[in-house]
Amino acid sequence: MSSAQERARELAREMKKAIMEAKTAEARAKRLGDEVLLALAEAKKEQEAASEIIEYPVGRYECKRCGQGSIFSQTYRELPACDNCGSTEYVGAEPTITKITPPPPKKYHAGMYECSGCRTRIVLPEDMDELPPCDICGGHKLKAV
Ligand SMILES: [Zn+2]
Ligand SMILES: [Zn+2]
């Protein structure tokens, strides 16, 4: 076999390997993309949950399950478990609920974007007022997907 033939075989093998690797990387990127969307949805829920603060006032509470009385001398976001039975449900003062006004919305929402220059997908992990440039081509043409 000529050395050129030898080289061609070698290159063909390399190419095949590179294609396989690219396929694996692509599948991985897709899976990560799905995961990131789930994480973003969760982050949004967390943000919504953080929009109110529940606070139980100082005072006397009675355990709903066993009836044991407890005096809480500090305010709680979540009442501690009953000393007697471990229950966290009490009869007593109503908690005060403070609504937190969310910060003004940003121009761009967290999510998946695509570069209209090179078609690379980019994840914006949080809301931003300005979109970052494309990771691959540096262009400023990201569009929400
Ligand atoms: Zn109890
Ligand atoms: Zn690009």
Side-chain angles (χ1 to χ4, degrees), residues 114-120 122 133-142:
E114 189 179 88
C115 172
S116 20
C118 69
R119 303 267 160 227
T120 302
I122 283 152
C134 167
D135 286 342
I136 306 299
C137 72
H140 284 272
K141 282 184 282 184
L142 296 188

Side-chain angles (χ1 to χ4, degrees), residues 1-15:
M1 211 188 321
S2 76
S3 65
Q5 254 178 341
E6 187 73 36
R7 210 167 64 233
R9 274 180 177 226
E10 177 63 26
L11 288 171
R13 259 202 308 273
E14 290 273 311
M15 190 179 120

Side-chain angles (χ1 to χ4, degrees), residues 34-49:
D34 290 345
E35 277 173 27
V36 97
L37 288 182
L38 280 180
L40 285 176
E42 243 171 71
K44 198 172 170 198
K45 249 190 260 165
E46 269 177 18
Q47 238 168 34
E48 280 164 7

Side-chain angles (χ1 to χ4, degrees), residues 26-81:
E26 205 179 305
R28 193 169 126 78
K30 192 178 174 314
R31 209 177 51 240
L32 287 171
D34 290 345
E35 277 173 27
V36 97
L37 288 182
L38 280 180
L40 285 176
E42 243 171 71
K44 198 172 170 198
K45 249 190 260 165
E46 269 177 18
Q47 238 168 34
E48 280 164 7
S51 65
E52 57 181 41
I53 293 178
I54 296 174
E55 201 171 65
Y56 290 90
V58 170
R60 187 175 187 284
Y61 289 77
E62 195 171 286
C63 174
K64 224 175 195 175
R65 202 194 290 171
C66 72
Q68 167 152 298
S70 301
I71 308 268
F72 294 132
S73 53
Q74 64 175 92
T75 58
Y76 284 101
R77 295 283 297 268
E78 244 173 85
L79 290 174

